[in-house]
Amino acid sequence: MKTNFTQLALVAALSLTGATTVLADNLTYDASPEQQQLRWFRQVQESKSQPTANQLAPYGYVSTGTVARAVNVDRSTKYLNVTRLETVKVNVDGKSVIWMFDTLGTNAFPLSKIVSGTEGVTVYVAENPSYRP
């Protein structure tokens, strides 16, 4: 009986140690975008499957998720401010696209990279406040 209890206590202690290590790694905040990007690459490399097209997209991707806000872009628009991981409906000349700005490591880019007819409009991506310490 004592041996079973000792073995059970050892298994519980090892499990708790592993869970604590994983939790601490997931809660670690890397201040610089470069460190965040390296951490993401490390996680992708460690995963058993290949990264999805969405994970590899530098400017984000088309989404079917809940829209945080809608933005109308016309000829007078010069810039668009978004937050990383924000889902925005972008309206241009009567057409629209719902876009998830999942842009790890990208702080600014031309909107024309994702929506045609928006030349001259720059997207500025701010850090998501949920991921700040």
Side-chain angles (χ1 to χ4, degrees):
M1 179 74 173
K2 187 174 184 178
T3 303
N4 288 340
F5 178 74
T6 305
Q7 290 174 345
L8 182 61
L10 180 60
V11 168
L14 290 174
S15 297
L16 182 60
T17 302
T20 305
T21 302
V22 169
L23 182 61
D25 186 45
N26 288 335
L27 293 178
T28 302
Y29 174 76
D30 299 323
S32 74
E34 292 82 16
Q35 289 173 331
Q36 291 176 358
Q37 193 169 23
L38 286 173
R39 182 170 176 219
W40 180 84
F41 282 130
R42 207 172 35 238
Q43 288 174 343
V44 168
Q45 288 172 346
E46 291 172 358
S47 71
K48 295 183 192 290
S49 63
Q50 293 294 324
T52 65
N54 288 350
Q55 289 173 326
L56 295 174
Y59 307 116
Y61 48 87
V62 172
S63 176
T64 57
T66 304
V67 175
R69 62 189 170 113
V71 177
N72 296 318
V73 176
D74 57 25
R75 298 189 193 284
S76 66
T77 305
K78 298 295 178 201
Y79 61 89
L80 174 61
N81 291 320
V82 298
T83 303
R84 194 172 321 279
L85 300 177
E86 181 180 19
T87 303
V88 178
K89 182 176 183 179
V90 180
N91 301 311
V92 180
D93 294 331
K95 297 179 184 176
S96 64
V97 63
I98 297 175
W99 197 261
M100 165 65 88
F101 289 92
D102 186 357
T103 59
L104 183 63
T106 305
N107 295 324
F109 63 92
L111 184 59
S112 61
K113 295 281 188 179
I114 59 173
V115 180
S116 61
T118 58
E119 289 72 22
V121 179
T122 302
V123 177
Y124 294 100
V125 184
E127 283 300 320
N128 190 320
S130 299
Y131 298 106
R132 292 187 181 164

